[in-house]
Amino acid sequence: MNMKKLLSFALALVMALGMASFGMAEEPIKVGVCIYQFNDNFMTLYRTELQKYLEETYGAQVTVVDGKNDQTEQTNQVNSFIAEGVDVLIINLVQSTSAATVIDLVQAADIPTVFINREPAEEDMTKWEGKTCYVGADARQSGTFQGEIVAALENQGDYNGNGTIDYVMIMGDPENVDTPYRTEFSIKALTDAGLTVNKLFEQRGDWMQENGQQLAANALAQFGDEIDVIFCNNDAMALGAYQAIVDAGRVVGEDIALLGVDALEECVLMVSEGTMTGTVLNDHVGQSHTAADVAIQAANGEEVDSYYWVDYVKVTAENAAEFLPAEE
Ligand code: BGC
């Protein structure tokens, strides 16, 4: 073949390939997303961002379903997605202890799966390596940050000046490892700073605002001015606790401290105004984008790592403005 012929052959080949790939316009990647329950402030922000990003960035075909806080319901939803033949699943388990069962199902159907928000046990993440992973934030860090915010206050959290930090702990649902970790590490940060602590009250409010209000009201009725600090495992419960604090005639920043996690916009605003002592950014944007990127890689047949971590960030009166949307 002379040079001219070779060139026109190459040109024809390039055009043919181009037309072939144009003609067979690629099918969108089908993503099934299971959320533990839609009725959750933080997970609502998370799933909205996740769907938007998958659609806008990857043109993916996304279906998001509500597990209604019922593992049986969620397992049925996983089976329906498998039957439909989705390319990849993103799962926010209802019960993190069900990870092993869910992995058996997706592995049998050869559908790679990204777990989010509720971290499965480490041994479960080794069951189907390369095809399953967890994307989340290390909850120990969020607890530590809550404690450090208190330790950095001028009175180090001892509002009534009795030499100890008398605290109330309002906990999330124990199915999420965030609950034990935030509960433990917030207090550990205080004792690590050489401070003395005294637990007055500790109960679970399962992440819900109404429960936060009820439990804080109970604690305030029972312990009154003895309480220096109310720690909540998330911001929704802190919003509820704030109402109870106001109803009890107490004033955040003057005679009591209030801490949450998530950095919901209303809470960041409260931190900037001083009606909440601090919160910790649970970066739903970073987590949802990472989960989506990894899910698309897995759908395209690439092997994935077992863990992808996104950092928490402390939010206090000093830096809260940086976390608020820019004013128009
Ligand atoms: C968030 C909570 C949320 C929970 C759901 C946590 O990481 O801080 O606000 O309710 O996840 O599992």
Side-chain angles (χ1 to χ4, degrees), residues 217-230:
N218 295 352
L220 285 157
Q222 196 177 344
F223 297 102
D225 292 346
E226 273 180 77
I227 304 173
D228 289 309
V229 181
I230 300 189

Side-chain angles (χ1 to χ4, degrees), residues 165-181:
I165 304 168
D166 302 287
Y167 72 91
V168 167
M169 184 67 70
I170 301 184
M171 298 184 295
D173 165 359
E175 266 307 327
N176 185 335
V177 76
D178 294 2
T179 293
Y181 278 160

Side-chain angles (χ1 to χ4, degrees), residues 204-221:
R204 51 185 278 205
D206 292 349
W207 308 118
M208 307 299 278
Q209 181 164 346
E210 343 34 299
N211 298 345
Q213 179 165 357
Q214 189 57 55
L215 293 175
N218 295 352
L220 285 157

Side-chain angles (χ1 to χ4, degrees), residues 5 25 35 61 71 80 91 101 106 113 122 142 154 157 193 204 221 231 239 241 270 274 277 279 299 303 309 319 322:
K5 268 197 179 148
I35 299 296
Q61 186 182 317
Q71 187 57 56
S80 305
I91 305 182
T101 316
V106 296
T113 297
E122 229 175 298
S142 55
E154 219 176 284
R204 51 185 278 205
F231 285 103
L239 284 171
M270 288 168 68
T277 314
T279 182
E303 298 263 303
W309 297 111
N319 69 352
E322 294 167 28

Side-chain angles (χ1 to χ4, degrees), residues 3 39 56 60 68 86 90 162 171 229 234 259 268 277 288:
M3 197 57 178
N39 182 20
E56 286 176 2
K68 306 200 179 99
V86 294
I90 298 180
N162 67 348
M171 298 184 295
V229 181
N234 79 346
L259 283 299
V268 175
T277 314
S288 58

Side-chain angles (χ1 to χ4, degrees), residues 36 40-43 92-93 117-118 173 176 178 182 206-208 233-236 261-262 264 282 287 312:
Y36 92 103
D40 179 295
N41 297 12
F42 175 74
M43 285 315 300
N92 169 212
L93 289 165
N117 178 257
R118 293 188 165 197
D173 165 359
N176 185 335
D178 294 2
R182 289 178 189 162
D206 292 349
W207 308 118
M208 307 299 278
N233 282 171
N234 79 346
D235 276 354
V261 174
D262 283 340
L264 298 182
N282 191 1
Q287 291 176 63
Y312 283 104

Side-chain angles (χ1 to χ4, degrees), residues 34 65 71 73-83 89 91 102 105-106:
C34 297
V65 294
Q71 187 57 56
E73 167 103 23
Q74 185 173 69
T75 307
N76 290 337
Q77 293 169 336
V78 170
N79 280 320
S80 305
F81 276 137
I82 291 174
L89 281 162
I91 305 182
V102 170
L105 294 174
V106 296

